[in-house]
Amino acid sequence: MSTTGLATGLTTGAANDVAAMNKALAAEHAAIYAYGLMGARTTGSLRAKVTAAFDAHRARRDQLRALISSGGGKPAEPEAAYTLPVVPGNATEAVRLAVLVEAGVTAAYLELTAAAQATTRRMAALAMQESAVRSYGFRPTVTAFPGMPPRAPQPPSPTPTG
């Protein structure tokens, strides 16, 4: 068993935690990149939401870097650029990208919820919750039962004439 973490004296559990933290850190790096691009292409209240998300992901990135370093690991570095699933040219595309980014960040933290340290598990669960809430904050409407067909439109009610 020769993993990078074990070579630096980390236990197997701690090495697994560092690997999971680095996956979450890589997702945070990608989110920061995407929100930076969105911030440059949005205005008004959407830009305010994008800026808040950018700041939140920077804070999580810094927290993860500190946790990884304090655990004896080497934090993942950001890529020079990322291939985005949507390059936002308008507000609708920016919202779509934000929702996709948050879904990816949520998924990246999922593995970390099985960390050996309770404080790390709690941080991961909170990060997932924040990401999910941010994602729904970008959506203009929320479906009560995702995946269910929409309700049929109600016929107009008759109005009294007289």
Side-chain angles (χ1 to χ4, degrees):
M1 292 193 285
S2 62
T3 66
T4 305
L6 293 177
T8 61
L10 296 175
T11 64
T12 302
N16 290 340
D17 288 357
V18 168
M21 281 189 266
N22 266 321
K23 286 180 185 177
L25 179 57
E28 293 292 3
H29 287 315
I32 291 165
Y33 177 87
Y35 278 113
L37 182 63
M38 284 183 268
R41 296 178 179 199
T42 56
T43 59
S45 63
L46 180 56
R47 182 181 223 157
K49 283 182 183 181
V50 165
T51 300
F54 179 82
D55 291 341
H57 286 291
R58 287 180 56 197
R60 282 288 177 199
R61 175 207 57 198
D62 295 346
Q63 181 183 27
L64 282 168
R65 287 182 63 82
L67 282 171
I68 293 166
S69 294
S70 69
K74 183 177 185 293
E77 294 299 325
E79 301 293 326
Y82 294 85
T83 302
L84 301 175
V86 176
V87 178
N90 58 45
T92 301
E93 291 170 346
V95 167
R96 184 170 166 231
L97 179 58
V99 169
L100 290 170
V101 165
E102 294 301 339
V105 169
T106 301
Y109 276 100
L110 183 58
E111 184 178 341
L112 196 52
T113 60
Q117 294 289 323
T119 54
T120 304
R121 290 191 305 269
R122 183 175 191 280
M123 183 271 305
L126 288 172
M128 288 176 63
Q129 179 182 11
E130 291 166 3
S131 234
V133 168
R134 247 188 322 273
S135 175
Y136 281 101
F138 279 106
R139 295 178 183 166
T141 59
V142 177
T143 304
F145 298 102
M148 296 282 295
R151 288 181 19 177
Q154 298 294 321
S157 58
T159 56
T161 57

